[in-house]
Amino acid sequence: MNILLTGGTGYIGSHTAVVLAEAGHNVVLYDNLSNSKPEVVDRLETILGTRPLFIEGDIRDRSLLAEVLKLQNIDAVVHFAGLKAVGESVEKPLDYYHNNVYGSLCLMQALQDAGVKRLVFSSSATVYGEPQYLPIDEAHPTAPTNPYGWNKLHIEQMLSDMAAADPEWRIASLRYFNPVGAHESGLIGEDPNGIPNNLMPYIARVAAGKLPHLNVFGNDYPTPDGTGIRDYIHVMDLAEGHLAALAHLNSQSVCHDFFNLGTGNGCSVLEMRSAFETASNKKIPYQVVGRRPGDTALVYSATDKSKQELDWRAARGLDLMCNSAWKFNNK
Ligand code: NAD
Ligand code: WQD
């Protein structure tokens, strides 16, 4: 298939590009470079041995999208493009609605006009909000707690309404848990601008000596070591989940379906710190500070639906997540 990846030079998009291209698909990357660099395309060329087509463009540019969809004869789209910093979404909600919700609306209009009706959407486990029960399955109630999470839920709803109006659509919304790690080459990975908000990139910078210590946001949670537990998933497993979702679209019984992409396992902040110390052979000093507002104690995914319907499961463990992230950060 000819597959358009919006946000294709970003962290998850670039890893998915590798998996899709290696599976024989032709990938076209479409990104406005607001949070990624054009060098990613060179890195992909090194990994793949062939250069994927990259188009610098914004998802809010419907005429450029129309041209690309037509000229590249696109069969399906994986929609990664979006802003993703939770804290920033609280400070600048309209920027987030404009980029993420309005941007997705423009993309959907362009797809509808072009008759491209196969879509995989990057959603997030953040749509579930505070867990009502564990593990979190796809039927768990949705109750986002910040504008970023609401963006994802509004986009999911827009996709459902669109699919209800035209039953030829086949859409999979993938709700990611906590993606971490990097491609085994160490050439692509997660490289946030400024001081990282997320645990793994923060730890990686402490190990690399670029930040003095890790701040552990609370050690009084009702978990075995008192620190927050999350379901970290290797980005290459996540990327393979997109390949599985694309393969499943044509046989999907409903027009719009939802799948968790997680491992089903929980890992605490301190467990992640020790695993990264082992992988990097560096000391990672830490200090316990107060809880981060909005954080929850324990989150992990139910994996049955993705296993059964997508025939996909995460295979890589915490050691590979840390080793690959360290290789990328230490290059
Ligand atoms: P990323 O920032 O690395 O990649 C997103 C890409 O989209 C960037 O390259 C950015 O330049 C591009 N982009 C943003 N707005 C755009 C626009 N208007 N037009 C064109 N390109 C635009 O982030 P990521 O971690 O790769 O996330 C990819 C998707 O997965 C996002 O939608 C994110 O919300 C979602 N997601 C990420 C996580 C995570 O923890 N990384 C978890 C759940 C869901
Ligand atoms: C993980 C754990 C922190 C940093 C966020 C978004 C979510 C999703 C993924 C997109 C928590 C602790 C963290 C630090 C720490 N993104 N921590 N010190 O909060 O589960 O999810 O990213 O959809 O929407 O909310 O991930 O990596 O920020 O935190 O102690 O410096 O690490 O308290 O327990 P989170 P995270």
Side-chain angles (χ1 to χ4, degrees), residues 24-224:
H25 294 296
N26 174 43
V27 295
V28 176
L29 315 179
Y30 185 96
D31 201 298
N32 69 359
L33 300 177
S34 59
N35 197 38
S36 54
K37 300 188 177 82
E39 295 83 77
V40 169
V41 187
D42 305 330
R43 306 281 179 95
L44 289 173
E45 182 177 8
T46 307
I47 294 169
L48 294 169
T50 153
R51 191 173 182 82
L53 178 63
F54 168 62
I55 293 147
E56 184 174 348
D58 196 291
I59 51 170
R60 292 163 291 190
D61 185 344
R62 271 175 66 188
S63 56
L64 180 59
L65 277 173
E67 193 182 314
V68 173
L69 292 168
K70 193 169 171 207
L71 282 179
Q72 300 306 321
N73 206 9
I74 296 298
D75 301 300
V77 174
V78 188
H79 177 30
F80 298 100
L83 302 174
K84 62 163 182 175
V86 171
E88 188 183 56
S89 82
V90 176
E91 287 158 25
K92 301 176 182 171
L94 296 185
D95 289 0
Y96 271 65
Y97 278 89
H98 193 251
N99 195 80
N100 295 352
V101 179
Y102 173 67
S104 298
L105 170 66
C106 294
L107 174 67
M108 291 318 127
Q109 285 174 322
L111 295 188
Q112 187 170 270
D113 292 348
V116 177
K117 295 180 182 176
R118 297 290 175 270
L119 176 75
V120 172
F121 171 57
S122 292
S123 189
S124 169
T126 201
V127 297
Y128 297 119
E130 181 74 24
Q132 308 295 308
Y133 58 83
L134 290 164
I136 297 179
D137 59 21
E138 290 82 353
H140 187 286
T142 49
T145 57
N146 53 66
Y148 168 75
W150 277 110
N151 285 174
K152 292 293 182 198
L153 197 58
H154 288 314
I155 297 165
E156 285 190 359
Q157 185 62 47
M158 176 166 68
L159 299 178
S160 292
D161 293 341
M162 191 181 72
D166 177 355
E168 285 182 5
W169 275 100
R170 286 295 176 276
I171 303 168
S173 284
L174 305 181
R175 293 170 171 169
Y176 313 156
F177 280 67
N178 290 60
V180 295
H183 185 259
E184 60 184 4
S185 63
L187 289 172
I188 53 173
E190 189 177 15
D191 188 15
N193 293 326
I195 296 177
N197 297 309
N198 297 115
L199 181 65
M200 174 74 104
Y202 199 105
I203 286 184
R205 291 208 188 164
V206 176
K210 293 176 186 160
L211 287 169
H213 60 262
L214 168 68
N215 293 308
V216 174
F217 297 147
N219 67 350
D220 56 353
Y221 284 107
T223 61

Side-chain angles (χ1 to χ4, degrees), residues 190-191 201 204-205 208 210 276 324-331:
E190 189 177 15
D191 188 15
R205 291 208 188 164
K210 293 176 186 160
F276 211 96
S324 59
W326 178 238
K327 188 169 178 185
F328 173 71
N329 276 273
N330 204 28
K331 267 208 171 281

